Amino acid sequence: MALGSTFAVVRDDRVIAVDIDAGDLVDRHGRRNSLSLADLLADNSVTQYGQVRAHTYMNSFGLEVLGLPDYARTDWRLERSGVVKAFSVLRKHYSVVLVDCVKAVNSRVMDAVLPEARALVLVTSASIDAVRKTRTTLDWLCNNGYQRLMNATVLAVNHVESAKPDEVAAKELEALSARVAATVALPFDRHIHEGKELGLDRLSKESRRSYLELAAALADMVPVRSH
């Protein structure tokens, strides 16, 4: 949310974040659109931007979000073919498409996402357990044909607590940083910690600067096309 809103503020074009994780992206974004990715995929007549826009919600910073249906109320499942179709539609209308991915990188859904990815943001907290899981993710990517993405990967260290990481975690983070193109520290922020609708104007100056740094690192790795 914060990264997408930052891109939308600094760029004068269309930016969208797509939720394929059924997480809290839509809730952190604000009002939920009654239409979702499932509706977009079911409508084969969607070709124009206005038709896509009917399925999204734009926040006050210009970021659009395309959410998933409420899984508690439907048996719909996102499949690999659905991701491929969604990308084929969205790439025609948006210069930046951010995807909130599922945690299992060795899934059929990620089989569709990773070949299309021009850059990755790997988010980890500063806890030793999270750092080691991130290392496993990097190992999996390197061992399964995605070594090329290491030159376009940013490690985002999200400090979910105000305390500094312990010495062991700090050393592990340093080792991870050496394997990717850039590392950005996201400081503890009380507004993000609240779990409510996220607004850039309510983040601390340090957080705003960090998300701008994250957006700049991605833009340097992958020059974003303009319409």
Side-chain angles (χ1 to χ4, degrees), residues 1-16 59-64 95-96 98 200 207-220 222 224-226:
M1 264 305 306
L3 175 61
S5 294
T6 298
F7 265 122
V9 166
V10 299
R11 294 184 56 85
D12 187 22
D13 52 20
R14 299 171 187 158
V15 180
I16 190 169
N59 68 5
S60 59
F61 305 99
L63 173 67
E64 292 181 51
S95 64
V96 179
L98 303 173
L200 288 184
S207 290
R208 290 288 300 268
R209 188 181 307 114
S210 293
Y211 283 107
L212 188 61
E213 181 183 346
L214 178 56
L218 290 168
D220 285 344
V222 184
V224 185
R225 67 180 177 84
S226 298

Side-chain angles (χ1 to χ4, degrees), residues 2 9 12 35 39 42-43 56-57 80 83 127 133 148-150 154 158 169 188:
V9 166
D12 187 22
L35 297 178
D39 299 294
D43 188 349
T56 71
Y57 173 62
R80 182 185 186 280
V83 177
S127 73
K133 288 178 182 178
R148 62 174 179 83
L149 283 174
M150 295 305 97
V154 181
N158 185 29
F188 175 77

Side-chain angles (χ1 to χ4, degrees), residues 28 122-128 130-131 155-167 169-171 173-174 177 183-194 203-204 206-207 210-211 213-214:
R28 299 304 296 267
L122 285 183
V123 182
T124 181
S125 73
S127 73
I128 188 62
V131 172
L155 179 67
V157 184
N158 185 29
H159 291 270
V160 296
E161 299 178 348
S162 54
K164 294 182 179 180
D166 62 39
E167 186 175 345
K171 288 183 177 180
L173 282 171
E174 185 176 351
S177 296
T183 299
V184 176
L186 305 175
F188 175 77
D189 191 288
R190 292 192 180 280
H191 174 51
I192 294 177
H193 189 66
E194 290 173 347
L203 297 180
S204 68
E206 292 78 11
S207 290
S210 293
Y211 283 107
E213 181 183 346
L214 178 56

